C-alpha cells in the first residue's frame, strides 16, 4: 500500500519568551505578593500540602491571615516559624506594585509546560493563508467578500474570505490535512517576565499607563507604565520532539479538495512558512526604525533578519503578544485595511499607522524584546 502521510519530526526552540495562557491566573495574596518591588510567586500546591499536615493552630493562623484586610503569606510564614524560601516558585523585580494577577502558562495534567498543537497550527494557518490568496484569480473577489457594514461582527469580518480560501465547513477544510501535536518543554524553562505596551505617537513612541489615569508615558518614564506579568518559556527553551503530519491523500485527491486552490507540496511547505514570517519580521523592523526605537530594530536585524538559520530550521511567531498583524497574517491591501478600519473603528490616524501598539518584554530595565518568536527545526521526514 502506498504511503499517504508525510510526518515531520520537529523541535521548537524559542528565540524570545513565549506565553500560551492556561486561562487560570495567579492571584495576589493567594499565590503571590509584592514587597519593596520584588514580586514573589509561591508554590500553592506545596504550601497547601504542608498546611494539611500541620497542627490545627497553624491551620487557624493561615485562614485568619487570609481573612485580614491585606493578607500576607510572608507574615504568616514568620508567625508560624516557616522558611518562606521553601515555597518560592519565582521572584521578579517589578516596576509597579499595582499588579493583581499573573498570567499562567499552559501545562499538561502532569505540570509539563506546553505550546499546544492548536497554537502552532494557527501560526501555520496564517502563513498558508497568504499562499492560498496568491492563487485567487480575481483580487476584486476578496473585496466583495469583506464586510460592507457593521452588521457583520468584527470577529467574523474575514469569515467569508476564510471559507473561500480554505473551505466552507470544518469537515471540508484544507487544514484537515494538517495535524500538529503539542510541543512539551521542561519545567525549568519557565520564568516570569514583565511586559509593557508600546504605542506609536506623533513624537515617535510612548508606553501606556492604563486605569483611571490613562495616558502615554515617555521612554524615560517607561517604568511607571502599566506592567503585565506573565509566566512564559524563556528564550532558548527547546521542546521535546513533536510531530507535524501532512495527509497527502486529502491534499491531492480531487474529491476532497475543498476549494480550487492548493496547499504547497511537502517540499515547499516549510520554506513557505519561513518566508511568510521573515516578511512580517521585516515589516516590524521597519515599524521600529521609523519611530527610531533602535534597540528593537536591532533585535529584528541581528536575531532574525541576519540570523544564519540552520538547515531545516524555520521561523514562526506564536501565541500571546504577536498582535493584529501576526494573528491575521497581515494579508489586507492598504485599501482593504482602511475600509475594515473605518467600519469597525479600529485605531486612529492613517492606515499605515494601524496597528499602533506592540507588547514588549522588559530586558535590562527597558521594554525591548517582542514576545512569541521561535524556530521549528525539522529533524526527520518520513512517509507512513
Amino acid at each position: 500500500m502506498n504511503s499517504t502521510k508525510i510526518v515531520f519530526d520537529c523541535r521548537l526552540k524559542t528565540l524570545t519568551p513565549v506565553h500560551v495562557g492556561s486561562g487560570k491566573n495567579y492571584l495576589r495574596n493567594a499565590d503571590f505578593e509584592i514587597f519593596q518591588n520584588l514580586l514573589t510567586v509561591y508554590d500553592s500546591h506545596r504550601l497547601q500540602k504542608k498546611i494539611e499536615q500541620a497542627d490545627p493552630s497553624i491551620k487557624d493562623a493561615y485562614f485568619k491571615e487570609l481573612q485580614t484586610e491585606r493578607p500576607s503569606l510572608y507574615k504568616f510564614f514568620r508567625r508560624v516559624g516557616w522558611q518562606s524560601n521553601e515555597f518560592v516558585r519565582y521572584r521578579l523585580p517589578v516596576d509597579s506594585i499595582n499588579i493583581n494577577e499573573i498570567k499562567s502558562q499552559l501545562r499538561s495534567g502532569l505540570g509539563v509546560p506546553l505550546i499546544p498543537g492548536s497554537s502552532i497550527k494557527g501560526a501555520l494557518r496564517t502563513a498558508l493563508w497568504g499562499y492560498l490568496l496568491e492563487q485567487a484569480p480575481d483580487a476584486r473577489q476578496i473585496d466583495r467578500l469583506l464586510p460592507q457594514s457593521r452588521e457583520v461582527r468584527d470577529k467574523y469580518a474575514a469569515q467569508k474570505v476564510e471559507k473561500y480560501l480554505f473551505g466552507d465547513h470544518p469537515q471540508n477544510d484544507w487544514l484537515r490535512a494538517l495535524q500538529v501535536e503539542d510541543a512539551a518543554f521542561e519545567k525549568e524553562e519557565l520564568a516570569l517576565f514583565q511586559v509593557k505596551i508600546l504605542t506609536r505617537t506623533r513624537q515617535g513612541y510612548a508606553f501606556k499607563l492604563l486605569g483611571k489615569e490613562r495616558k502615554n508615558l515617555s521612554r524615560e518614564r517607561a517604568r511607571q507604565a502599566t506592567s503585565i506579568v506573565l509566566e512564559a518559556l524563556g528564550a532558548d527553551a527547546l521542546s521535546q520532539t513533536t510531530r507535524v503530519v501532512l495527509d497527502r491523500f486529502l491534499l491531492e485527491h480531487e474529491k476532497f479538495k475543498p476549494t480550487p486552490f492548493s496547499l504547497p507540496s511537502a517540499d515547499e511547505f516549510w520554506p513557505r512558512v519561513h518566508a511568510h514570517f521573515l516578511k512580517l519580521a521585516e515589516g516590524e523592523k521597519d515599524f521600529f526604525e521609523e519611530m527610531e526605537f533602535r534597540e528593537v530594530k536591532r533585535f529584528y536585524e541581528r536575531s532574525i533578519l541576519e540570523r544564519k538559520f540552520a538547515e531545516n530550521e524555520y521561523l514562526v511567531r506564536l501565541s500571546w503578544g504577536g498582535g493584529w498583524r501576526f494573528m491575521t497574517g497581515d494579508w489586507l491591501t492598504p485599501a482593504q485595511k482602511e475600509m475594515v478600519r473605518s467600519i469597525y473603528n479600529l485605531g486612529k490616524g492613517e492606515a499605515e499607522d494601524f496597528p499602533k501598539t506592540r507588547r514588549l518584554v522588559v530586558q535590562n530595565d527597558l521594554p525591548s524584546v517582542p514576545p512569541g518568536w521561535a524556530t521549528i527545526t525539522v529533524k526527520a521526514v518520513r512517509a507512513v
Side-chain angles (χ1 to χ4, degrees):
M1 183 173 122
N2 292 332
S3 59
T4 62
K5 294 183 179 180
I6 303 296
V7 178
F8 300 97
D9 292 325
C10 305
R11 298 190 78 178
L12 273 73
K13 184 177 182 180
T14 59
L15 300 180
T16 64
V18 174
H19 170 77
V20 182
S22 68
K24 296 179 181 179
N25 294 337
Y26 298 118
L27 302 178
R28 187 164 183 170
N29 299 324
D31 301 302
F32 74 92
E33 55 190 357
I34 302 173
F35 181 68
Q36 293 183 343
N37 290 87
L38 181 66
L39 185 153
T40 302
V41 178
Y42 296 106
D43 188 328
S44 58
H45 295 292
R46 185 181 299 175
L47 175 60
Q48 291 299 326
K49 187 174 181 179
K50 186 157 184 173
I51 288 173
E52 287 172 6
Q53 299 169 349
D55 293 337
S57 60
I58 291 180
K59 293 179 182 177
D60 290 343
Y62 174 69
F63 289 115
K64 283 180 181 178
E65 184 62 40
L66 291 183
Q67 292 167 8
T68 61
E69 184 176 350
R70 299 186 68 180
S72 168
L73 289 174
Y74 179 73
K75 290 179 182 177
F76 162 73
F77 295 143
R78 292 188 63 184
R79 189 174 296 121
V80 300
W82 289 358
Q83 295 295 317
S84 62
N85 286 343
E86 180 183 348
F87 307 99
V88 171
R89 176 176 283 174
Y90 306 113
R91 281 198 170 107
L92 176 73
V94 291
D95 296 334
S96 171
I97 62 171
N98 298 318
I99 297 168
N100 294 313
E101 63 180 25
I102 298 170
K103 298 179 181 296
S104 67
Q105 172 70 25
L106 181 69
R107 291 179 172 85
S108 71
L110 297 175
V112 175
L114 296 176
I115 296 178
S118 57
S119 293
I120 302 167
K121 189 170 181 176
L124 300 179
R125 186 184 187 99
T126 62
L128 296 174
W129 188 301
Y131 179 81
L132 294 172
L133 200 61
E134 291 174 6
Q135 302 172 50
D138 182 2
R140 290 172 297 181
Q141 173 67 5
I142 305 301
D143 292 340
R144 291 190 288 268
L145 292 171
L146 289 170
Q148 307 301 312
S149 72
R150 295 194 72 167
E151 290 181 8
V152 179
R153 292 178 59 188
D154 55 358
K155 65 187 291 186
Y156 302 119
Q159 191 174 67
K160 289 184 178 180
V161 180
E162 183 177 29
K163 290 181 177 181
Y164 174 66
L165 296 175
F166 284 93
D168 60 5
H169 191 274
Q171 295 300 318
N172 187 36
D173 185 307
W174 271 127
L175 289 201
R176 280 183 66 203
L178 180 64
Q179 298 141 34
V180 186
E181 293 181 350
D182 297 342
F185 293 78
E186 298 295 329
K187 295 178 184 178
E188 292 74 22
E189 305 282 13
L190 288 175
L192 286 188
F193 298 92
Q194 186 175 199
V195 177
K196 304 285 186 176
I197 304 172
L198 172 141
T199 185
R200 189 169 185 167
T201 66
R202 292 178 181 176
Q203 293 74 35
Y205 63 91
F207 294 95
K208 284 183 171 288
L209 175 64
L210 305 177
K212 292 182 180 179
E213 292 186 76
R214 295 181 70 92
K215 57 184 174 181
N216 294 332
L217 302 175
S218 67
R219 173 183 171 128
E220 291 71 29
R221 299 176 64 197
R223 296 191 65 174
Q224 300 170 39
T226 295
S227 292
I228 302 168
V229 177
L230 49 86
E231 180 182 49
L233 295 159
D236 297 320
L238 185 63
S239 79
Q240 299 170 21
T241 299
T242 189
R243 300 193 311 164
V244 175
V245 181
L246 276 176
D247 191 320
R248 249 184 355 193
F249 183 76
L250 292 177
L251 281 176
E252 298 171 1
H253 200 294
E254 287 295 326
K255 181 180 177 181
F256 294 98
K257 287 188 71 170
T259 71
F261 315 122
S262 299
L263 289 187
S265 68
D267 291 337
E268 293 180 292
F269 182 83
W270 291 108
R272 281 282 182 172
V273 169
H274 184 74
H276 168 79
F277 285 103
L278 273 181
K279 180 181 177 183
L280 290 181
E282 183 74 44
E284 290 296 281
K285 187 267 294 182
D286 293 343
F287 176 85
F288 287 100
E289 184 173 28
E290 287 169 10
M291 66 174 70
E292 298 183 355
F293 198 147
R294 291 184 296 275
E295 289 83 357
V296 187
K297 168 183 172 284
R298 203 155 44 233
F299 162 81
Y300 276 105
E301 288 175 339
R302 295 178 180 176
S303 300
I304 294 182
L305 298 173
E306 297 173 4
R307 177 185 175 90
K308 302 298 183 185
F309 289 90
E311 186 178 2
N312 297 325
E313 182 186 29
Y314 306 100
L315 183 68
V316 291
R317 195 175 189 185
L318 302 160
S319 306
W320 189 90
W324 189 87
R325 292 187 69 232
F326 289 86
M327 287 177 61
T328 65
D330 201 30
W331 54 270
L332 292 172
T333 66
Q336 290 168 346
K337 187 187 293 186
E338 180 57 26
M339 180 182 72
V340 171
R341 285 181 64 247
S342 63
I343 290 173
Y344 295 108
N345 194 29
L346 300 173
K348 300 176 183 178
E350 300 299 324
E352 290 78 11
D353 290 331
F354 177 79
K356 297 165 96 172
T357 60
R358 301 292 191 275
R359 288 175 170 84
L360 295 172
V361 177
V362 175
Q363 185 177 75
N364 300 325
D365 294 326
L366 178 68
S368 56
V369 177
W373 285 104
T375 62
I376 297 177
T377 299
V378 178
K379 308 298 290 185
V381 183
R382 49 201 167 87
V384 297

PDB file of all heavy atoms in Angstrom, residues 30-48:
ATOM      1  N   ALA A  30      -3.031  35.363  47.332  1.00  0.00           N
ATOM      2  CA  ALA A  30      -3.301  33.923  47.387  1.00  0.00           C
ATOM      3  C   ALA A  30      -2.125  33.141  46.818  1.00  0.00           C
ATOM      4  O   ALA A  30      -1.732  32.104  47.360  1.00  0.00           O
ATOM      5  CB  ALA A  30      -4.577  33.600  46.637  1.00  0.00           C
ATOM      6  N   ASP A  31      -1.552  33.629  45.702  1.00  0.00           N
ATOM      7  CA  ASP A  31      -0.451  32.925  45.036  1.00  0.00           C
ATOM      8  C   ASP A  31       0.844  33.722  45.020  1.00  0.00           C
ATOM      9  O   ASP A  31       1.917  33.134  44.856  1.00  0.00           O
ATOM     10  CB  ASP A  31      -0.840  32.609  43.588  1.00  0.00           C
ATOM     11  CG  ASP A  31      -2.086  31.756  43.496  1.00  0.00           C
ATOM     12  OD1 ASP A  31      -2.084  30.654  44.056  1.00  0.00           O
ATOM     13  OD2 ASP A  31      -3.061  32.201  42.868  1.00  0.00           O
ATOM     14  N   PHE A  32       0.757  35.041  45.135  1.00  0.00           N
ATOM     15  CA  PHE A  32       1.973  35.849  45.104  1.00  0.00           C
ATOM     16  C   PHE A  32       1.764  37.122  45.902  1.00  0.00           C
ATOM     17  O   PHE A  32       0.639  37.514  46.228  1.00  0.00           O
ATOM     18  CB  PHE A  32       2.386  36.185  43.668  1.00  0.00           C
ATOM     19  CG  PHE A  32       1.532  37.223  42.985  1.00  0.00           C
ATOM     20  CD1 PHE A  32       1.866  38.581  43.035  1.00  0.00           C
ATOM     21  CD2 PHE A  32       0.391  36.857  42.288  1.00  0.00           C
ATOM     22  CE1 PHE A  32       1.090  39.534  42.406  1.00  0.00           C
ATOM     23  CE2 PHE A  32      -0.391  37.800  41.646  1.00  0.00           C
ATOM     24  CZ  PHE A  32      -0.044  39.142  41.701  1.00  0.00           C
ATOM     25  N   GLU A  33       2.860  37.767  46.222  1.00  0.00           N
ATOM     26  CA  GLU A  33       2.796  39.080  46.860  1.00  0.00           C
ATOM     27  C   GLU A  33       3.984  39.917  46.418  1.00  0.00           C
ATOM     28  O   GLU A  33       4.954  39.396  45.837  1.00  0.00           O
ATOM     29  CB  GLU A  33       2.739  38.962  48.376  1.00  0.00           C
ATOM     30  CG  GLU A  33       3.848  38.181  49.028  1.00  0.00           C
ATOM     31  CD  GLU A  33       3.567  37.923  50.504  1.00  0.00           C
ATOM     32  OE1 GLU A  33       2.539  38.394  51.009  1.00  0.00           O
ATOM     33  OE2 GLU A  33       4.385  37.245  51.143  1.00  0.00           O
ATOM     34  N   ILE A  34       3.875  41.208  46.632  1.00  0.00           N
ATOM     35  CA  ILE A  34       4.918  42.151  46.220  1.00  0.00           C
ATOM     36  C   ILE A  34       5.371  42.918  47.445  1.00  0.00           C
ATOM     37  O   ILE A  34       4.557  43.517  48.160  1.00  0.00           O
ATOM     38  CB  ILE A  34       4.385  43.129  45.151  1.00  0.00           C
ATOM     39  CG1 ILE A  34       3.871  42.358  43.929  1.00  0.00           C
ATOM     40  CG2 ILE A  34       5.492  44.099  44.728  1.00  0.00           C
ATOM     41  CD1 ILE A  34       3.167  43.234  42.905  1.00  0.00           C
ATOM     42  N   PHE A  35       6.674  42.877  47.699  1.00  0.00           N
ATOM     43  CA  PHE A  35       7.244  43.606  48.824  1.00  0.00           C
ATOM     44  C   PHE A  35       8.464  44.360  48.326  1.00  0.00           C
ATOM     45  O   PHE A  35       9.403  43.750  47.799  1.00  0.00           O
ATOM     46  CB  PHE A  35       7.619  42.637  49.954  1.00  0.00           C
ATOM     47  CG  PHE A  35       8.190  43.309  51.164  1.00  0.00           C
ATOM     48  CD1 PHE A  35       7.389  44.121  51.961  1.00  0.00           C
ATOM     49  CD2 PHE A  35       9.525  43.142  51.499  1.00  0.00           C
ATOM     50  CE1 PHE A  35       7.915  44.748  53.089  1.00  0.00           C
ATOM     51  CE2 PHE A  35      10.063  43.767  52.615  1.00  0.00           C
ATOM     52  CZ  PHE A  35       9.251  44.580  53.410  1.00  0.00           C
ATOM     53  N   GLN A  36       8.429  45.681  48.469  1.00  0.00           N
ATOM     54  CA  GLN A  36       9.524  46.542  48.010  1.00  0.00           C
ATOM     55  C   GLN A  36       9.894  46.238  46.551  1.00  0.00           C
ATOM     56  O   GLN A  36      11.059  46.062  46.218  1.00  0.00           O
ATOM     57  CB  GLN A  36      10.737  46.391  48.931  1.00  0.00           C
ATOM     58  CG  GLN A  36      10.489  46.920  50.332  1.00  0.00           C
ATOM     59  CD  GLN A  36      11.711  46.836  51.219  1.00  0.00           C
ATOM     60  OE1 GLN A  36      12.663  46.118  50.922  1.00  0.00           O
ATOM     61  NE2 GLN A  36      11.704  47.574  52.321  1.00  0.00           N
ATOM     62  N   ASN A  37       8.863  46.185  45.698  1.00  0.00           N
ATOM     63  CA  ASN A  37       9.007  45.973  44.254  1.00  0.00           C
ATOM     64  C   ASN A  37       9.643  44.632  43.872  1.00  0.00           C
ATOM     65  O   ASN A  37      10.114  44.457  42.750  1.00  0.00           O
ATOM     66  CB  ASN A  37       9.799  47.116  43.608  1.00  0.00           C
ATOM     67  CG  ASN A  37       8.999  48.413  43.590  1.00  0.00           C
ATOM     68  OD1 ASN A  37       9.030  49.164  44.559  1.00  0.00           O
ATOM     69  ND2 ASN A  37       8.267  48.642  42.527  1.00  0.00           N
ATOM     70  N   LEU A  38       9.623  43.678  44.808  1.00  0.00           N
ATOM     71  CA  LEU A  38      10.039  42.316  44.487  1.00  0.00           C
ATOM     72  C   LEU A  38       8.803  41.428  44.518  1.00  0.00           C
ATOM     73  O   LEU A  38       8.157  41.278  45.560  1.00  0.00           O
ATOM     74  CB  LEU A  38      11.086  41.814  45.476  1.00  0.00           C
ATOM     75  CG  LEU A  38      11.612  40.390  45.195  1.00  0.00           C
ATOM     76  CD1 LEU A  38      12.394  40.359  43.884  1.00  0.00           C
ATOM     77  CD2 LEU A  38      12.485  39.905  46.345  1.00  0.00           C
ATOM     78  N   LEU A  39       8.467  40.871  43.360  1.00  0.00           N
ATOM     79  CA  LEU A  39       7.288  40.007  43.249  1.00  0.00           C
ATOM     80  C   LEU A  39       7.714  38.570  43.506  1.00  0.00           C
ATOM     81  O   LEU A  39       8.670  38.079  42.906  1.00  0.00           O
ATOM     82  CB  LEU A  39       6.668  40.149  41.863  1.00  0.00           C
ATOM     83  CG  LEU A  39       5.352  39.427  41.573  1.00  0.00           C
ATOM     84  CD1 LEU A  39       4.572  40.161  40.497  1.00  0.00           C
ATOM     85  CD2 LEU A  39       5.591  37.987  41.121  1.00  0.00           C
ATOM     86  N   THR A  40       7.000  37.903  44.409  1.00  0.00           N
ATOM     87  CA  THR A  40       7.304  36.525  44.768  1.00  0.00           C
ATOM     88  C   THR A  40       6.077  35.665  44.534  1.00  0.00           C
ATOM     89  O   THR A  40       5.002  35.945  45.068  1.00  0.00           O
ATOM     90  CB  THR A  40       7.727  36.412  46.249  1.00  0.00           C
ATOM     91  OG1 THR A  40       8.863  37.247  46.479  1.00  0.00           O
ATOM     92  CG2 THR A  40       8.077  34.976  46.593  1.00  0.00           C
ATOM     93  N   VAL A  41       6.249  34.625  43.723  1.00  0.00           N
ATOM     94  CA  VAL A  41       5.177  33.650  43.482  1.00  0.00           C
ATOM     95  C   VAL A  41       5.480  32.407  44.306  1.00  0.00           C
ATOM     96  O   VAL A  41       6.591  31.880  44.266  1.00  0.00           O
ATOM     97  CB  VAL A  41       5.081  33.272  41.988  1.00  0.00           C
ATOM     98  CG1 VAL A  41       3.990  32.202  41.769  1.00  0.00           C
ATOM     99  CG2 VAL A  41       4.770  34.495  41.143  1.00  0.00           C
ATOM    100  N   TYR A  42       4.465  31.955  45.051  1.00  0.00           N
ATOM    101  CA  TYR A  42       4.632  30.783  45.891  1.00  0.00           C
ATOM    102  C   TYR A  42       4.050  29.543  45.209  1.00  0.00           C
ATOM    103  O   TYR A  42       3.126  29.627  44.409  1.00  0.00           O
ATOM    104  CB  TYR A  42       3.958  30.992  47.244  1.00  0.00           C
ATOM    105  CG  TYR A  42       4.580  32.114  48.044  1.00  0.00           C
ATOM    106  CD1 TYR A  42       3.939  33.337  48.185  1.00  0.00           C
ATOM    107  CD2 TYR A  42       5.825  31.954  48.642  1.00  0.00           C
ATOM    108  CE1 TYR A  42       4.511  34.370  48.910  1.00  0.00           C
ATOM    109  CE2 TYR A  42       6.415  32.982  49.370  1.00  0.00           C
ATOM    110  CZ  TYR A  42       5.751  34.191  49.489  1.00  0.00           C
ATOM    111  OH  TYR A  42       6.335  35.205  50.195  1.00  0.00           O
ATOM    112  N   ASP A  43       4.598  28.397  45.576  1.00  0.00           N
ATOM    113  CA  ASP A  43       4.096  27.112  45.091  1.00  0.00           C
ATOM    114  C   ASP A  43       2.897  26.730  45.953  1.00  0.00           C
ATOM    115  O   ASP A  43       3.042  26.190  47.050  1.00  0.00           O
ATOM    116  CB  ASP A  43       5.197  26.058  45.189  1.00  0.00           C
ATOM    117  CG  ASP A  43       4.811  24.751  44.520  1.00  0.00           C
ATOM    118  OD1 ASP A  43       3.613  24.415  44.528  1.00  0.00           O
ATOM    119  OD2 ASP A  43       5.706  24.062  44.003  1.00  0.00           O
ATOM    120  N   SER A  44       1.700  27.032  45.467  1.00  0.00           N
ATOM    121  CA  SER A  44       0.484  26.846  46.266  1.00  0.00           C
ATOM    122  C   SER A  44       0.229  25.380  46.579  1.00  0.00           C
ATOM    123  O   SER A  44      -0.288  25.051  47.660  1.00  0.00           O
ATOM    124  CB  SER A  44      -0.722  27.457  45.551  1.00  0.00           C
ATOM    125  OG  SER A  44      -0.884  26.885  44.270  1.00  0.00           O
ATOM    126  N   HIS A  45       0.603  24.471  45.674  1.00  0.00           N
ATOM    127  CA  HIS A  45       0.382  23.045  45.936  1.00  0.00           C
ATOM    128  C   HIS A  45       1.251  22.561  47.093  1.00  0.00           C
ATOM    129  O   HIS A  45       0.784  21.833  47.980  1.00  0.00           O
ATOM    130  CB  HIS A  45       0.689  22.222  44.677  1.00  0.00           C
ATOM    131  CG  HIS A  45      -0.243  22.498  43.546  1.00  0.00           C
ATOM    132  ND1 HIS A  45      -1.571  22.154  43.586  1.00  0.00           N
ATOM    133  CD2 HIS A  45      -0.045  23.101  42.341  1.00  0.00           C
ATOM    134  CE1 HIS A  45      -2.162  22.520  42.453  1.00  0.00           C
ATOM    135  NE2 HIS A  45      -1.258  23.106  41.686  1.00  0.00           N
ATOM    136  N   ARG A  46       2.510  22.983  47.099  1.00  0.00           N
ATOM    137  CA  ARG A  46       3.405  22.593  48.188  1.00  0.00           C
ATOM    138  C   ARG A  46       2.935  23.190  49.510  1.00  0.00           C
ATOM    139  O   ARG A  46       2.951  22.520  50.554  1.00  0.00           O
ATOM    140  CB  ARG A  46       4.830  23.052  47.870  1.00  0.00           C
ATOM    141  CG  ARG A  46       5.858  22.593  48.892  1.00  0.00           C
ATOM    142  CD  ARG A  46       7.245  23.097  48.526  1.00  0.00           C
ATOM    143  NE  ARG A  46       7.669  22.578  47.237  1.00  0.00           N
ATOM    144  CZ  ARG A  46       8.797  22.937  46.625  1.00  0.00           C
ATOM    145  NH1 ARG A  46       9.591  23.834  47.201  1.00  0.00           N
ATOM    146  NH2 ARG A  46       9.127  22.420  45.463  1.00  0.00           N
ATOM    147  N   LEU A  47       2.485  24.458  49.453  1.00  0.00           N
ATOM    148  CA  LEU A  47       2.005  25.120  50.669  1.00  0.00           C
ATOM    149  C   LEU A  47       0.757  24.425  51.214  1.00  0.00           C
ATOM    150  O   LEU A  47       0.662  24.151  52.421  1.00  0.00           O
ATOM    151  CB  LEU A  47       1.718  26.590  50.372  1.00  0.00           C
ATOM    152  CG  LEU A  47       1.084  27.401  51.507  1.00  0.00           C
ATOM    153  CD1 LEU A  47       1.995  27.404  52.735  1.00  0.00           C
ATOM    154  CD2 LEU A  47       0.813  28.833  51.039  1.00  0.00           C
ATOM    155  N   GLN A  48      -0.202  24.138  50.338  1.00  0.00           N
ATOM    156  CA  GLN A  48      -1.439  23.512  50.800  1.00  0.00           C
ATOM    157  C   GLN A  48      -1.168  22.130  51.395  1.00  0.00           C
ATOM    158  O   GLN A  48      -1.792  21.739  52.396  1.00  0.00           O
ATOM    159  CB  GLN A  48      -2.430  23.394  49.630  1.00  0.00           C
ATOM    160  CG  GLN A  48      -2.982  24.718  49.141  1.00  0.00           C
ATOM    161  CD  GLN A  48      -3.761  25.461  50.214  1.00  0.00           C
ATOM    162  OE1 GLN A  48      -4.413  24.868  51.053  1.00  0.00           O
ATOM    163  NE2 GLN A  48      -3.691  26.787  50.174  1.00  0.00           N
TER     164      GLN A  48
END
